[in-house]
Amino acid sequence: MSWADSSPGMQAGKVPINRHHPEEESEQYPRPRDKRKSVVVVGLGMVGIAFIEKLIKMDEKRREYDIVVIGEEPHLAYNRVGLTSFFQHRKAENLYLNPQDWYSGKPDGALNYHLNTIVTEIHPSQKVVSTSRGDTVPYDILVLATGSDALLPRHTPGHDAKGVFVYRTIDDLEKLIAYADGCKGSTGAVVGGGLLGLEAAKAMMDLETFGKVKLIERNRWVLSRQLDADAGGMVVELVSKLGLEVLLSKRVGKIEVDEENAVKGVVFEDGERMDCKCLMFGIGIKARDELARRASIKCADRGGGIVVDPNLMTSHKDVYAIGECASWESQTYGLIAPGIEMADVLAFNLTQAKVHTARKFKRPDLSTKLKLLGVEVASFGDFFADRDGPKDLPVRRIASKKNAGDGPQDNLKSITDGPPPPPVKALTYKDPFSAVYKKYLFTLDGKYLLGGMMIGDTKDYVKLVPMVKNQKQLEVPPSEFIIGASKGDEDDASDLTNDTQICSCHNVTKGDVAKVVQDGSCKSIGDVKSCTKAGTGCGGCMPLVQSIFNAEMKAMGTEVLNHLCPHFAYSRADLFNIIYVKKLKTFADVMKECGKEPESVGFDKPLHGLQDTNDKFLANIQRNGTFSVIPRVSAGEITADKLIVIGNVAKKYGLYCKITGGQRIDMFGAKKQDLISIWTELVNGGMESGHAYAKSLRTVKSCVGTTWCRFGIGDSVGMAVRLEERYKSIRSPHKLKGGVSGCVRECAEAQNKDFGLIATEKGFNVFVGGNGGAKPRHSELLAKDVPPDDVVPILDRYLMFYMRTADKLQRTARWVEQLPGGIKYLREVVLEDKLGICAELEKQMQELIGTFFCEWTEVINNPERQKAFHQFGNTDDTLDAIEKVDERGQSRPAYWPTESVKEDFRGTQWSQLTWQPVIEASKFADTPTGSSANVKRGDTQLAVFKIKGKWYAMQQMCPHKRTFAMSEGLIGDDVKADKLWVSCPFHKRNFTLNGADAGKCGNDEEVSVAVFPVEERDDGWVYLKLPPVEELDARLGTSKWKVVKGEGKDPGFARLDEKMKGLKGRKMYEGSHLPNGEGAKAAAARIVGKGEGEGGMDW
């Protein structure tokens, strides 16, 4: 679907233009009236008005231009292609392309028009034009859209007789109507069997005044420029049945006139004579270039036309020509489509070339699809490739052609046998009973479609034209284009019998799934998987299992609920809208307004992973309890200065560095207590949070595009920077990733992103709904050839519609798949405003991005929030829970042990327990979802929780992987059962905090934790009932359970490393390729100095 004409009310937000950084912006947009340039358009035809429409649309935000258009006719721009309809209504207004109020409704000064006015002279040196009314109109840019005149054979005797007409304007038709009233019952004739001639013949027949209408064509069939003999012959048969008499192979030699110089007949060159009272010529057109010639603007000697370059500029600066008056590479074009393309190219270059590569006018597509005298006719692509040879073959075939023999024998053969046939094969279908003709032309191997023609049945035209344009290798054999594809087995559950196997991994039938749903034993898809094992193998059957489940539930009259979680009777989309409309600000407000149990803390395990823990500390928690830090590097563009800042931070805090797939730098191993210091150095160095810890926009990946690449046609870096800067930090149902590629080589992999752009000559193709991950999905085309200025409004609408309607933790890929109608429906909503919500979507997005702040900076400036960034709440001591391993010049944590600790910590029998003060109560906040702290007692770490005024304590170590992070876990509850639990942030093991089951793991029976009595006393301290320190450390000490090298599973690289040993230049074994090279560490030390006191960095 092409973006251009289907987006009412388009309003983009404030997007910086021309440069990558807003602070470098110098232009003022929209421009004040005295700063705007004047564009004068000569000609108010279909191409002229198309240019004006496109220029106004693309200039809507910047307002760089005011337009003055001067039209020769007394009418506003009208549809010349539909001239024949004039005979039904005879009202010029019905043909207008835009009503009167469209012209007058433009912003002040944006568009001024003058009708019935001829431009008589152009004065390029003064940049003014003169008109027949004596006016002088100044211009900054002059666009000539003067069109063409219908050809009249002035060498033919009688060409100036009364009753001789051409078919071109409303005025021509009005004259014909007036004259025809005096010719009732006589014969009318049309000379010319091309597109124009057939239209003229229809016009004469529609008058219903002539007794007979004849068509005179000099060739052996009609439409000889679009169709071959077979197709043209079929058209002759069809139009003859409609009452048009067609005379083929006839040339007019003389027009006979009576004593009043009125037409009375025609004499052909072969001597034959024919009576007629009216004669209309439709034999072609001639470019109107006389105005340009008088101004010494270069025009083509042969065929006429104003000579233009690929930018559509004439030989004079700031003077352009478009449409039928323009001669490009010695060719003029009489079809409307090339003229519209010229208008598009010029409007784009005048408005968008500042932020995108300027477009060039290229060989136009001459495909046509018309209904002539009721007959459907179409030709597309290189439709005469079998006759004239192909104009353009796919690159692969050109190479093979060049390799063909060209020796003396081949030259002799070509002389004696004639030239070889074109490297084309034709597939033809002709049905004289249904009057259908199809001829498709392919390369010799049948891999590429080159062009074709159709009569009668043209419904495949819209599918075939892009196949030719894109020159993509066909995925089906050529025969399917005629006879269609053979139908395979339908994979539809409704057509399957109950004994059909749907899961081959576990031999589950459709009946097995249906039965457990029908008998009530399974009420969710998870229940079905547990009960039948369907979908627990390879997973390939899950779509079918889901459809069977949904169908059975629906058949039973049971609603398939999509509630966010047990705490809410709403889906995520419903909850989003409630919160938005009621302006709820806190979690407590949401629970009170929408929750089933207003007093619940609102957590249940299946719906939460690391998100809240990561959001709390604004970093991703890693295997050893440390965090990764990722500053934002918009579009992957980073300065050397910022690289130095990052390098210094990584070196100073001993962080492991890795380039991410999204083109930024990840620093691993940051201790919680160091995070604020790390952020401070990064923010001070001009950076900010990259939001890698959140369900939000991660990155917008880019190639270098026109910034550096010789193949680039779009500024992919500039666009990606703008998009990432616009959407950074916004939270969404799942993480978002974007990409922008500067050309079709697609180096940024934009087509597997949640949103992606690929630069085209006309702007950008916008793709949506793609992702990598466990179930990769290629994105789908949302909008085509979008001008740079219009990219943001489209993405605003798309992203906000997704955020408002997607399910919990649903990626855009699954969301698009589940939309009713998929991508087609999304286009209707986002581009065509089917729901009437586009303005609101843009408004919401503008409000959302207006709330941006750097979350790291917020913590740096907030002493209260900084209190959470300590390893322990009762001491500044630190403990490491995983041994570091040096590898490839950096340190990483040792691999986790393969087995869990299955000791019964919960049932530990202590020798004695005494109350001991461990932490001040003021360190805990009274929040609806609880607060917690990690405390150190000897070598042991303990997690203490305060939840709704009550205290709980347990060991800090989760036995599953010996991670020390229970205090960072999420709190969950079941109010009815009076049960509380904490979920380990690493692998979601849920440990009960209260009651008789305290210390038990609710979802892994093999592990448990020790719990301890806890209370707050009047002295302001929190007391735990603990055993002696030595006994506590012997059982739970950090040193005892520290993960060390060798406990985890070996990755199995030993044999591979042995093979690589001694090989030149391999990363693991050589520091430098130079014989005496220093290597990275030594070179870095030398570059920056040895220490802080000697001018070096603070390491």
Side-chain angles (χ1 to χ4, degrees):
M1 181 172 183
S2 177
W3 165 264
D5 304 316
S6 55
S7 182
M10 178 63 65
Q11 290 293 328
K14 297 284 186 180
V15 184
I17 54 178
N18 296 332
R19 302 176 181 85
H20 292 190
H21 302 290
E23 63 269 22
E24 296 174 2
E25 193 61 57
S26 60
E27 297 282 7
Q28 178 186 355
Y29 295 110
R31 284 187 174 175
R33 189 165 186 177
D34 60 343
K35 299 292 185 183
R36 296 177 205 151
K37 292 182 178 180
S38 175
V39 177
V40 173
V41 181
V42 181
L44 189 53
M46 293 184 72
V47 173
I49 195 62
F51 168 73
I52 292 168
E53 290 172 346
K54 293 172 187 295
L55 185 64
I56 289 174
K57 178 178 175 57
M58 294 183 186
D59 189 43
E60 185 176 19
K61 302 172 187 67
R62 305 187 185 199
R63 290 291 284 113
E64 292 185 82
Y65 302 107
D66 285 336
I67 303 169
V68 177
V69 58
I70 303 171
E72 182 177 294
E73 294 187 61
H75 305 290
L76 296 173
Y78 59 86
N79 182 9
R80 292 188 196 279
V81 177
L83 269 180
T84 52
S85 66
F86 183 76
F87 294 105
Q88 277 78 51
H89 50 73
R90 303 196 182 187
K91 293 181 180 179
E93 294 79 7
N94 288 4
L95 289 174
Y96 285 179
L97 295 168
N98 295 299
Q100 173 81 39
D101 56 11
W102 181 87
Y103 294 83
S104 56
K106 297 302 167 209
D108 183 40
L111 175 62
N112 289 295
Y113 64 95
H114 304 272
L115 304 180
N116 217 14
T117 303
I118 299 173
V119 174
T120 55
E121 296 290 340
I122 302 172
H123 308 282
S125 60
Q126 302 169 43
K127 283 198 164 186
V128 297
V129 297
S130 301
T131 74
S132 56
R133 295 175 180 268
D135 297 322
T136 300
V137 183
Y139 67 83
D140 295 299
I141 294 168
L142 179 64
V143 180
L144 301 177
T146 49
S148 61
D149 283 328
L151 280 175
L152 192 64
R154 301 189 184 278
H155 61 279
T156 302
H159 72 274
D160 54 352
K162 297 174 184 176
V164 175
F165 299 94
V166 292
Y167 181 80
R168 191 66 182 157
T169 67
I170 290 177
D171 184 54
D172 292 332
L173 298 193
E174 288 176 335
K175 289 177 179 177
L176 174 64
I177 291 169
Y179 188 84
D181 285 341
C183 304
K184 289 183 179 178
S186 64
T187 298
V190 173
V191 182
L195 294 172
L196 195 62
L198 285 171
E199 282 290 322
K202 184 178 188 305
M204 268 198 172
M205 294 175 72
D206 287 344
L207 276 174
E208 298 181 349
T209 56
F210 295 101
K212 185 177 290 186
V213 176
K214 297 183 179 182
L215 181 75
I216 302 166
E217 167 56 33
R218 65 180 181 177
N219 294 304
R220 292 181 291 113
W221 64 89
V222 297
L223 297 174
S224 57
R225 291 195 175 190
Q226 286 80 29
L227 304 176
D228 63 10
D230 285 342
M234 181 175 283
V235 172
V236 170
E237 291 179 23
L238 292 171
V239 297
S240 296
K241 291 177 182 178
L242 295 172
L244 177 66
E245 185 177 335
V246 182
L247 307 177
L248 299 173
S249 301
K250 292 288 187 182
R251 292 175 180 264
V252 175
K254 178 184 177 182
I255 301 170
E256 291 186 336
V257 298
D258 61 16
E259 59 278 3
E260 296 181 359
N261 197 33
V263 175
K264 69 175 184 178
V266 168
V267 178
F268 298 107
E269 289 185 352
D270 61 6
E272 191 175 337
R273 185 187 177 282
M274 178 189 79
D275 286 332
C276 71
K277 288 282 190 179
C278 183
L279 193 65
M280 180 175 280
F281 282 90
I283 57 175
I285 58 173
K286 180 184 182 301
R288 293 192 58 181
D289 57 13
E290 62 276 8
L291 179 64
R293 289 181 185 273
R294 288 199 297 269
S296 299
I297 295 173
K298 185 177 180 181
C299 296
D301 295 327
R302 185 176 179 182
I306 306 165
V307 175
V308 294
D309 63 13
N311 295 313
L312 302 171
M313 185 181 285
T314 68
S315 56
H316 282 54
K317 189 176 185 298
D318 294 329
V319 179
Y320 299 84
I322 56 176
E324 293 169 349
C325 68
S327 174
W328 176 80
E329 294 193 354
S330 301
Q331 284 184 290
T332 56
Y333 298 96
L335 296 174
I336 185 63
I340 300 297
E341 176 69 6
M342 289 179 180
D344 200 33
V345 169
L346 183 55
F348 184 94
N349 289 346
L350 292 177
T351 57
Q352 307 295 313
K354 293 180 180 180
V355 291
H356 196 83
T357 301
R359 289 175 56 188
K360 307 288 186 186
F361 182 73
K362 299 181 179 179
R363 180 182 292 114
D365 178 22
L366 300 180
S367 302
T368 54
K369 179 176 177 288
L370 298 167
K371 192 169 186 177
L372 300 168
L373 290 162
V375 180
E376 296 279 355
V377 179
S379 59
F380 63 93
D382 195 355
F383 43 82
F384 281 143
D386 57 336
R387 185 190 74 182
D388 304 332
K391 298 174 184 174
D392 187 20
L393 282 172
V395 174
R396 186 176 62 83
R397 296 205 50 83
I398 292 174
S400 63
K401 184 179 176 182
K402 287 182 179 178
N403 292 333
D406 56 359
Q409 292 295 327
D410 299 294
N411 292 334
L412 179 62
K413 186 175 178 64
S414 67
I415 293 171
T416 56
D417 297 345
V424 172
K425 282 187 178 179
L427 189 62
T428 305
Y429 172 80
K430 186 175 182 180
D431 179 0
F433 303 102
S434 302
V436 172
Y437 178 86
K438 296 182 181 182
K439 179 179 179 181
Y440 300 149
L441 305 175
F442 300 86
T443 52
L444 291 176
D445 56 9
K447 298 291 187 184
Y448 296 89
L449 178 65
L450 300 177
M453 54 191 70
M454 294 175 272
I455 305 294
D457 177 10
T458 61
K459 65 178 180 295
D460 291 334
Y461 174 85
V462 292
K463 299 177 185 177
L464 301 179
V465 170
M467 288 183 185
V468 175
K469 280 186 178 180
N470 298 332
Q471 288 195 339
K472 286 189 176 180
Q473 189 167 323
L474 302 178
E475 298 177 356
V476 297
S479 60
E480 288 194 11
F481 287 81
I482 300 292
I483 62 176
S486 58
K487 291 187 177 181
D489 296 331
E490 296 289 339
D491 186 20
D492 187 348
S494 62
D495 295 336
L496 303 179
T497 59
N498 280 340
D499 59 356
T500 302
Q501 183 190 70
I502 61 168
C503 175
S504 57
C505 297
H506 296 284
N507 192 26
V508 182
T509 66
K510 175 188 174 182
D512 295 332
V513 175
K515 181 177 181 298
V516 296
V517 177
Q518 291 167 1
D519 65 21
S521 56
C522 294
K523 291 181 167 47
S524 71
I525 197 68
D527 293 341
V528 172
K529 291 172 70 175
S530 299
C531 198
T532 67
K533 300 301 180 186
T536 59
C538 70
C541 63
M542 276 311 298
L544 202 52
V545 174
Q546 182 74 59
S547 65
I548 295 170
F549 172 76
N550 291 344
E552 292 298 332
M553 292 290 280
K554 186 176 181 181
M556 294 166 60
T558 305
E559 184 181 3
V560 181
L561 298 177
N562 189 30
H563 294 167
L564 179 68
C565 70
H567 297 92
F568 297 99
Y570 301 103
S571 68
R572 182 205 162 271
D574 290 339
L575 199 59
F576 177 98
N577 289 320
I578 292 171
I579 293 170
Y580 178 78
V581 171
K582 294 191 174 183
K583 308 294 184 186
L584 304 179
K585 301 294 184 183
T586 68
F587 181 78
D589 291 340
V590 175
M591 288 301 300
K592 184 177 180 180
E593 191 74 30
C594 313
K596 290 182 179 179
E597 298 158 344
E599 300 306 314
S600 171
V601 296
F603 163 75
D604 84 295
K605 172 231 135 195
L607 303 182
H608 295 265
L610 297 175
Q611 183 177 5
D612 280 4
T613 302
N614 292 345
D615 272 337
K616 180 179 178 181
F617 296 109
L618 309 180
N620 283 326
I621 194 168
Q622 302 299 328
R623 285 197 300 114
N624 60 349
T626 62
F627 294 83
S628 64
V629 176
I630 306 180
R632 186 162 299 284
V633 180
S634 293
E637 182 184 62
I638 189 167
T639 64
D641 293 330
K642 288 183 178 179
L643 286 172
I644 291 171
V645 173
I646 290 175
N648 185 51
V649 167
K651 190 79 172 176
K652 182 175 180 178
Y653 294 94
L655 306 181
Y656 175 105
C657 297
K658 188 179 182 303
I659 306 295
T660 73
Q663 299 178 329
R664 50 188 184 177
I665 300 171
D666 201 341
M667 293 174 280
F668 294 86
K671 296 175 182 177
K672 183 168 65 172
Q673 58 269 26
D674 289 336
L675 284 174
I676 295 175
S677 298
I678 291 171
W679 297 340
T680 301
E681 294 199 29
L682 292 172
V683 172
N684 183 61
M687 281 170 275
E688 64 188 17
S689 167
H691 299 93
Y693 46 82
K695 297 299 184 202
S696 66
L697 178 73
R698 297 297 174 83
T699 64
V700 180
K701 189 175 182 180
S702 72
C703 65
V704 294
T706 52
T707 308
W708 288 100
C709 181
R710 68 187 189 279
F711 298 116
I713 59 173
D715 184 1
S716 49
V717 180
M719 178 59 78
V721 167
R722 287 163 171 80
L723 295 181
E724 187 162 341
E725 287 294 311
R726 181 170 182 82
Y727 301 121
K728 65 185 180 185
S729 89
I730 61 172
R731 299 308 201 269
S732 55
H734 211 294
K735 62 187 175 186
L736 295 168
K737 296 182 179 181
V740 184
S741 288
C743 71
V744 293
R745 288 173 175 81
E746 247 284 69
C747 295
E749 301 163 336
Q751 290 180 86
N752 69 355
K753 302 292 190 291
D754 296 284
F755 62 88
L757 274 61
I758 300 178
T760 68
E761 292 181 342
K762 299 181 180 180
F764 290 93
N765 287 346
V766 179
F767 295 84
V768 296
N771 66 256
K775 191 177 179 183
R777 183 181 190 269
H778 214 57
S779 58
E780 295 183 81
L781 182 65
L782 176 66
K784 189 177 180 182
D785 295 329
V786 179
D789 282 355
D790 288 342
V791 166
V792 164
I794 291 177
L795 291 182
D796 278 0
R797 297 172 180 186
Y798 159 69
L799 291 173
M800 187 52 71
F801 189 51
Y802 161 65
M803 291 161 62
R804 283 175 55 160
T805 61
D807 202 356
K808 51 187 179 284
L809 297 179
Q810 187 177 45
R811 293 295 298 267
T812 59
R814 306 288 84 79
W815 172 70
V816 171
E817 289 172 349
Q818 292 180 18
L819 286 175
I823 190 67
K824 183 176 183 292
Y825 173 75
L826 186 61
R827 290 188 189 119
E828 291 171 346
V829 172
V830 172
L831 303 183
E832 300 168 18
D833 203 10
K834 177 180 182 178
L835 304 181
I837 61 172
C838 283
E840 179 64 18
L841 294 176
E842 291 183 40
K843 176 187 172 186
Q844 284 188 8
M845 180 59 76
Q846 192 64 37
E847 290 173 353
L848 183 58
I849 64 172
T851 63
F852 169 78
F853 61 93
C854 174
E855 295 169 4
W856 288 351
T857 306
E858 180 75 7
V859 175
I860 293 170
N861 294 328
N862 189 332
E864 193 61 34
R865 289 200 62 184
Q866 292 176 18
K867 293 178 181 178
F869 289 81
H870 298 279
Q871 184 176 11
F872 300 110
N874 62 341
T875 178
D876 290 332
D877 293 349
T878 61
L879 290 173
D880 290 329
I882 297 184
E883 182 182 14
K884 288 185 177 180
V885 176
D886 290 334
E887 190 170 75
R888 297 184 295 278
Q890 301 195 86
S891 295
R892 63 160 177 83
Y895 293 125
W896 270 328
T898 55
E899 294 292 328
S900 301
V901 180
K902 299 174 183 176
E903 296 186 23
D904 183 15
F905 292 106
R906 176 172 177 268
T908 301
Q909 298 297 314
W910 305 104
S911 62
Q912 60 175 330
L913 296 171
T914 59
W915 288 103
Q916 301 172 31
V918 293
I919 186 172
E920 293 177 84
S922 60
K923 298 286 183 72
F924 295 83
D926 288 312
T927 64
T929 53
S931 61
S932 59
N934 181 19
V935 300
K936 180 175 180 286
R937 190 68 171 174
D939 189 43
T940 299
Q941 302 182 48
L942 301 169
V944 181
F945 304 88
K946 183 181 183 182
I947 305 168
K948 295 182 179 177
K950 295 184 179 181
W951 297 89
Y952 309 90
M954 64 168 56
Q955 68 189 56
Q956 175 77 341
M957 182 191 73
C958 174
H960 176 237
K961 291 295 182 183
R962 287 157 50 189
T963 56
F964 289 75
M966 292 306 301
S967 63
E968 318 298 358
L970 292 169
I971 305 299
D973 71 345
D974 184 337
V975 174
K976 291 181 180 178
D978 189 26
K979 183 178 179 181
L980 284 172
W981 64 86
V982 61
S983 183
C984 174
F986 286 95
H987 299 104
K988 306 168 191 168
R989 294 306 192 269
N990 297 338
F991 296 94
T992 304
L993 285 168
N994 64 339
D997 290 336
K1000 279 187 176 181
C1001 182
N1003 52 358
D1004 187 344
E1005 295 179 353
E1006 293 186 328
V1007 297
S1008 67
V1009 296
V1011 296
F1012 302 94
V1014 56
E1015 66 182 25
E1016 179 186 354
R1017 295 189 178 177
D1018 292 341
D1019 61 1
W1021 282 77
V1022 177
Y1023 284 72
L1024 270 66
K1025 206 170 187 180
L1026 299 172
V1029 172
E1030 296 80 6
E1031 185 179 357
L1032 186 65
D1033 287 347
R1035 184 66 170 147
L1036 298 175
T1038 305
S1039 301
K1040 176 180 175 64
W1041 297 111
K1042 183 176 182 177
V1043 177
V1044 298
K1045 183 179 180 180
E1047 287 192 79
K1049 184 178 180 181
D1050 190 288
F1053 291 144
R1055 292 182 65 182
L1056 180 58
D1057 289 348
E1058 192 62 34
K1059 286 183 178 181
M1060 294 180 69
K1061 221 169 211 178
L1063 295 178
K1064 184 178 179 181
R1066 297 320 190 266
K1067 181 174 182 180
M1068 287 80 83
Y1069 305 109
E1070 285 197 29
S1072 169
H1073 285 285
L1074 297 174
N1076 299 313
E1078 297 173 290
K1081 194 169 183 178
R1086 174 180 54 77
I1087 291 168
V1088 302
K1090 295 183 179 179
E1092 187 176 6
E1094 300 177 31
M1097 294 185 178
D1098 180 15
W1099 291 351

